[in-house]
Amino acid sequence: MSASLKVSQTQQHHQQQHHHQQKQHHYESSSHLTSKSSVSKQSVTTVKTITSRRVKTSVKTEKGKEVVRLSPLPKRARRTYLAMDTDKEVIGYVIPVFRADHDVVRGLMETRDEEMTEEGINYVAMRNLFVREAREALDVRVEKKTRTTHIRESAERMELNKTMEEWVEFRRKMNPDSLTHSPEFIVKPRGQTVWEGKTIKLHCTLAGWPKPRVAWYKNNVMIDAKAHPEKYTIESNYNMHSLEIKNCDFLDTAQYCVSALNLRGEMSSVATVVVKRFQEGEEAGPLDPKPHGFCAEHGVTFETSILDKFEVAFGSEGETLSLGCTIIIYPTVKKYQPDVVWYRNSVPLKPSKWVHTHWSGQRATLTLVHLNKEDEGLYTMRVNTKSGFDTYSAYVFVRDADVEVEGVPVAPLDVRCHDSNKDYVVVTWKQPAVEGSSPILGYYIDRCEVGTHHWAQCNDNPVKYARFPVTGLVEGRSYIFRVRALNKAGVSRPSRVSEPVIAMDPFDRARLRGPSAPWTGMIKFTEEDHTVGVVPGEPTDVVVTEATKSYVVLAWKPPVQRGHEGVMYYIEKRISGTDVWQRVNTGMPVKSPRFALFDLAEGNSYSFRVRCCNSAGVGEASETTAETTVGDMLDLPSAPGTLVAARNTDTSVVVFWGASKDVKHLVGYYIEYSEVGSDIWIPCNNKPVKQTRFVCHGLTTGTNCVFRVKAVNAAGYSQSSTVSEAVVVKAAISVPGKPTSVMLLEAEKDCMVLRWTEPASNGGADIRGYFVDYRTVKGDVVGKWHEMNHHALTTTSYKAENLKENVFYQFQVRAMNMAGVSKASMPCAVLECKEWTLTVPGVPVGLHALEVRDSSVVVLWEPPLFDGRTPISGYYLDVKEASAGEEGWKAAHEKTNTRKFMKVTGLKAATAYVFRVRAKNLVGVGNPSAALGPILAETRPGTKEIYVDVDDDGVISMVFECSEMREGSEFVWSKNYQTITDTSRMTIVHEKGRSRAIFNSPSLEDLGTFSCVVTNTEGISSSYTLTEEGLKRLLDISHEHKFPVIPFKNEMAMELLEKGRVRFWTQMEKFTSACQVEYVFNDVIVHQGHKYTMNFDKTTGVIEMFMDSLEITDEGTFTFNLVDGKAKGTTSLVLIGDEFRALQKKSEFERAEWVRKQGPHFVEYLNFTVTKECDVLLKCKIGNIKADTEITWYKNHNEIRESDEDSKKIELKDGLLTFNIGKLSKADAGVYEVFLKDDRGEDKSLFDLTDTGYQTVMNELCRIIANSSSEIKVTSTEHGIILCSTVTYYTEEARVGWLQKDAKIAASERVKAGVTEEQLWLKINEPTEKDKGKYTMDIFDGKDGVKRVFELSGKAWEEAFEEFQRLKAAAIAERNRARVIGGLPDVVAIQEGKSLNLTGNVWGDPVPEVSWSKNEKGLVPDDHIQLKFEHGKFASITIGAVTTADSGKYALNVKNKYGTEAGVFTVSVYNPEEDEGENKEEKKD
């Protein structure tokens, strides 16, 4: 490295320097008195002092000055840490960054509790702030200065340099490592309580080097004073820091946190500010609109409205859930958008693969992808504008996914990594809410290297403690972890994986993720040298940080003397009471100052010590730790205090409990509920909560539930708290809503009649009364409100008296229930107190709707308080759609309605309607009432109607059910919409969520419309109209129920069983377990005994009676009499006369059969079958035979012995006994018998194969033959056409007939029918056109016959006839073809000199031409050879005095128009003398 490095203050050089620093093994930086001090622009030289000799060289600079440069440093050179300028003057001290005390590093990486981990958010925000300020510092400002100013600044710079020299001299004597230290609060900010409108200031004093950067937070959200200068002022002077909050309001009540950060660590402190309100009025709740301030930037005050709010949501693991709200910002400013931030449990959410946020400009949406239990919590959407902020919150519950194996626990949650080092990390998690069918035995921890998909289990034995040290990591690699729970039923699904963690030294990790130092324009480089040959010292502060049954964790501080090459550690243990030290990790020293020891004996005490080692050797052992007993140091939490449950809404209950006492490291609480009467406990939350109040959502309205809570920490679960008192899931009682529609009904000189509509909600309790207030109005001046009545009114009308005539008044009404008094209604219009002179009726009042359905609604009203001058004669009901104008009103009926209710039908579903009523008297029709509505024509989900029930006693009643009952809700029955008060005709019984109106004595007086209304609900009601026809039908059903008859599925029946037993039985359709049976024969009750056996199966309703046999005395009537409560039934069976005798005979036969079957017997008697091959087979099936059972066959009473030929036809296989007759003939006729006999008995079977039996078999044989016949085929010959069919076998008994065009064909010389073996044929010689048509072959099959049809016409005829002609022509040609038919030998041997005469017989028509050839050459007659052809039949050749030249191959060739042929023969001429000579020569040889 060169002796000096010139840098400039430009941003480009700063970026190059930063890039260069990333490549260095050690990162170092210069430190200065202040980050804002001026810096000389001259170049700076870092001088290195080395222990070994260095060579000095002189060089000249560009200015001609001689400077001294040193040779490069040796590899092991030692340096100082002084920064010097070009004149070798000390100007600063170079601090090697990250050469910090290991105690500080260890403190930074210690496992923090949940509150400390939340500061990671502060850390990120502060780092962003530093980066922004650093970038602002890079901006180069150019400004003109006067000479005086320049001289003054030079003097100040010289003074500053002198001060720095003195300071450096002092620091030179000090240990460099002691200079830097993490931030520390000398004075912490203090909490304050102030009144609204005041200004407060939070102060703190900090120490730390390098100088810490400070940021302020409000409820974990960083305060940006520059964005809100009117509200906040932040100052930092000489390590004193302050936050000023101006004009405090209630929203400033919060926790304020100041966080300090430097390169050595981070520290924070919290102060609580409470702003009290002394103005009148109620305090704003957390969800009430927040006051908004004026935005000077845009000149408006932004008002925020949050609509379409998301409700409490439920999801299951693995699902996707979306939350959203519609946000309206008023007024609208172009290009301005609010800032929407989402929080979970007050922690801001950042977009990730699990969390997606979207802002469309009007709607904010949060999507949670692949839900997990970590996603459960309170979600808050915060809308920040320039005028303030608004929030909305709702809870999200995440249910566990279905387990794959019943009874296994659900997955753990919130897996995190702490205290990671080079080869070590601590994994923590939270226990699940559901342990499964048995308690959790422990947990398995899995790890996976990032970038791979291979999961490796870290522990062989499950750990009970929810914290586990994982060792054996590879330095520099990233890992993710997951956890699985184990109980007796099996292993749970794995948890969601942890965030990736790098196995590396915490010092290096802090360097990589830590913020950059502020830019000062000066960069200095130093290089550290390794200490050669230094054995490291002993570690210090060796302590046991964790001790469980499964492992013990040691931690220590690295030695001060360790060199720069790094150290590793050996751990040694000693059992208490011994002096033997055993090295734990002999084969592999560890790199991290942490180590987990496993396989320690539970209950034993151990001591530990640590040694350091490097390339120079192993150092001395550290001090011995105190004795540690292996066991859990963390106790299970104590059971929470008494739990109190209170009603909240229709689907939720709020629970409170006392916190667990003396609990360490509390993770949170799990709340469970169970319905009364059930032993199944269901978790309310799947993520532990730390507060002692929780709202359990998702409950079923009306259920009676109890609750319990248990605490959990890393050691496990506490005992559950005591079970709470049972609470019904209903909405809590509150004050009623505001009354509405305050109106004037009638006015006199000094009084007014008022009317109003009751509140839409009574708050869960009956309204006990109303209070009326009034005030006077004179022009624009209104008076104060005064009470008119001191006692609550029980009606919705009131006559206000003692008023002043011609004075204007306004009125308002408040409702009251047991919870209190409601807010006042809207004041009515200004009314003048003067007498009315109207003669028509007043307006009807009290309009309300019941039984709202998709197409109908019932409107009810009360008569006017003022009838006019004559009584009211009726009413008119008007209706219109809510969206229509005044012209949309139309009458709902034509004639006057005399009743005070009406059912309006024909409405459109999902359409809103408005109703009004007008009263009529003799004078005319009065003014319409106040409009009722809008009412949406829609049937509420879950709406039920009144239904009529007739019980088993014949009691007729009407039943109405309601599942939305609240406390104070009641069923009110009415007839014709008048409350029923007369109990003489009807009795009303209320049950849980059900009401029954019972008719005492139903008659025509009960006809009418019955309705039922459920009070304190949103208009739940229904009606039922009882007509005369319906009443008659109900009376008939009632009679059937009063005098019931037991129904039968089957009337009494009888069947024969084995041994000839008789079974009488019947089956009932409907009965109870109390049903009794009486068995009767001829009016005499019979009982179980020797003769009778009875059985009544009450599961199937089958009644049986058994008799072993039927005797003469058993003729008569059998009856079953049944009694089931008040229901009766009778069923009978009559057995007399011929029917009884036939049954008795059949019973005796069945008994005889049973006796027969006790020995060898025929299961199937001897019979016959004909196989496909037309073999006749006699067969029988035998049973219950033994090895010594004799089986004997007889034919015509003659035994077939084993020596007989027929014995070979007998075969027994699998109980089937056969006799194969083969092809049947008359010789096989006869009587065949089979006898079975052994010591148990005998049986025989006979088959008569004569006469009728023979004919039956033959008919079956004919059937097989006939059905085996193939379809008719046609063939052609030289004589004609043949139609034929093949069969498997043929016998003369299978008669065959042929028909042409359905007429029998007579046999003739030209047309013949016959059989050749298995072929049935019809030959047609010399066919003509008359032979065309349909041919039928009729084969006798034992009954009617089997027909095979062939249509000999069309193409079939043409092809067959053409083939016949072709074959006929070919036959003629073959018959008349010229040929040699005989007379010529094959070989002729003749002696030389003899004459040869051969004659050949020739045939042909016409007479053929004849020629001779020799050796395929034609012969011509001459004197030597004579050729003759006589009578057209004889051709001769004569050769006189043959010679050897006449030897050769001769042929007689004949030819006519039909063909040619050659008769070939060979002539061999020999010389006897030559032959003798040759023989002699052969003998000599």
Side-chain angles (χ1 to χ4, degrees), residues 1065-1166:
W1065 69 281
T1066 186
Q1067 186 175 12
M1068 295 181 293
E1069 182 176 357
K1070 184 179 180 182
F1071 64 96
T1072 68
S1073 59
C1075 183
Q1076 300 294 327
V1077 183
E1078 190 177 67
Y1079 304 89
V1080 179
F1081 172 64
N1082 289 340
D1083 299 329
V1084 177
I1085 298 176
V1086 296
H1087 302 281
Q1088 183 101 3
H1090 177 71
K1091 186 172 183 178
Y1092 299 100
T1093 303
M1094 291 86 167
N1095 179 45
F1096 179 17
D1097 188 348
K1098 293 189 177 182
T1099 60
T1100 60
V1102 175
I1103 303 172
E1104 301 171 304
M1105 184 175 74
F1106 299 92
M1107 298 175 64
D1108 291 338
S1109 63
L1110 285 178
E1111 301 175 359
I1112 299 298
T1113 57
D1114 294 327
E1115 184 176 5
T1117 302
F1118 296 86
T1119 304
F1120 292 161
N1121 291 330
L1122 290 82
V1123 178
D1124 189 0
K1126 64 180 182 179
K1128 298 181 180 180
T1130 300
T1131 179
S1132 300
L1133 182 66
V1134 180
L1135 291 177
I1136 58 176
D1138 294 339
E1139 184 178 359
F1140 173 76
R1141 285 185 286 275
L1143 179 62
Q1144 184 185 18
K1145 187 178 295 184
K1146 191 174 181 180
S1147 174
E1148 292 174 352
F1149 172 77
E1150 290 293 337
R1151 184 166 184 81
E1153 279 291 291
W1154 178 81
V1155 173
R1156 179 180 68 85
K1157 292 179 180 178
Q1158 300 310 302
H1161 63 277
F1162 290 93
V1163 179
E1164 294 177 4
Y1165 287 99
L1166 195 61

Side-chain angles (χ1 to χ4, degrees), residues 9 232 471 485 647 710 773 803 900 1125 1165 1207 1255:
Q9 246 181 322
Y232 303 105
T471 59
R647 288 162 46 184
K710 59 184 177 182
D773 301 334
L803 302 178
K900 290 177 289 185
Y1165 287 99
S1207 65
Q1255 190 59 45

Side-chain angles (χ1 to χ4, degrees), residues 341-360:
V341 184
W342 290 87
Y343 296 81
R344 178 170 59 231
N345 297 331
S346 302
V347 178
L349 295 177
K350 295 182 180 180
S352 65
K353 67 176 181 178
W354 310 115
V355 178
H356 298 166
T357 58
H358 178 68
W359 166 244
S360 65

Side-chain angles (χ1 to χ4, degrees), residues 129-347:
L129 177 63
F130 287 170
V131 172
R132 187 184 67 187
E133 292 184 357
R135 290 175 179 172
E136 292 176 356
L138 289 174
D139 296 335
V140 180
R141 298 181 181 179
V142 180
E143 57 185 46
K144 296 181 179 180
K145 296 181 181 179
T146 62
R147 179 175 179 82
T148 304
T149 301
H150 183 71
I151 293 173
R152 185 176 65 254
E153 289 180 351
S154 299
E156 291 175 352
R157 190 180 303 113
M158 293 175 63
E159 182 66 23
L160 177 61
N161 290 340
K162 183 177 179 181
T163 303
M164 289 180 62
E165 291 176 4
E166 295 174 354
W167 180 77
V168 169
E169 288 296 331
F170 170 76
R171 289 294 183 181
R172 185 179 299 171
K173 302 175 182 179
M174 299 179 62
N175 184 358
D177 285 343
S178 65
L179 291 176
T180 61
H181 61 90
S182 59
E184 180 182 0
F185 282 96
I186 306 302
V187 177
K188 295 183 178 180
R190 298 174 59 187
Q192 300 184 39
T193 301
V194 297
W195 292 105
E196 277 189 324
K198 300 296 183 180
T199 298
I200 64 171
K201 205 168 190 179
L202 302 177
H203 299 271
C204 68
T205 303
L206 274 168
W209 189 262
K211 183 179 179 181
R213 288 284 182 171
V214 176
W216 291 85
Y217 297 84
K218 176 183 177 182
N219 289 338
N220 295 327
V221 178
M222 192 176 73
I223 297 173
D224 189 354
K226 293 184 179 180
H228 304 282
E230 75 286 353
K231 188 67 178 177
Y232 303 105
T233 299
I234 297 177
E235 295 181 352
S236 297
N237 295 313
Y238 302 104
N239 294 330
M240 295 182 62
H241 307 273
S242 64
L243 168 66
E244 184 179 15
I245 307 173
K246 306 170 186 175
N247 192 21
C248 292
D249 56 23
F250 183 74
L251 299 179
D252 292 321
T253 298
Q255 280 191 338
Y256 290 84
C257 174
V258 56
S259 180
L261 175 70
N262 67 4
L263 298 178
R264 297 304 302 272
E266 180 182 5
M267 184 65 67
S268 61
S269 181
V270 177
T272 301
V273 173
V274 179
V275 181
K276 289 191 173 182
R277 167 177 287 158
F278 56 84
Q279 294 91 341
E280 292 183 357
E282 300 178 358
E283 289 191 2
L287 298 181
D288 290 340
K290 309 297 187 297
H292 286 61
F294 179 77
C295 176
E297 179 181 352
H298 298 284
V300 295
T301 299
F302 291 104
E303 296 290 341
T304 304
S305 297
I306 302 177
L307 309 175
D308 298 334
K309 301 174 182 177
F310 57 91
E311 301 294 337
V312 174
F314 296 87
S316 297
E317 286 185 302
E319 297 178 349
T320 296
L321 180 67
S322 292
L323 309 176
C325 290
T326 300
I327 301 172
I328 299 177
I329 306 297
Y330 180 83
T332 302
V333 176
K334 189 176 182 181
K335 296 183 179 180
Y336 173 76
Q337 292 292 333
D339 180 27
V340 180
V341 184
W342 290 87
Y343 296 81
R344 178 170 59 231
N345 297 331
S346 302
V347 178

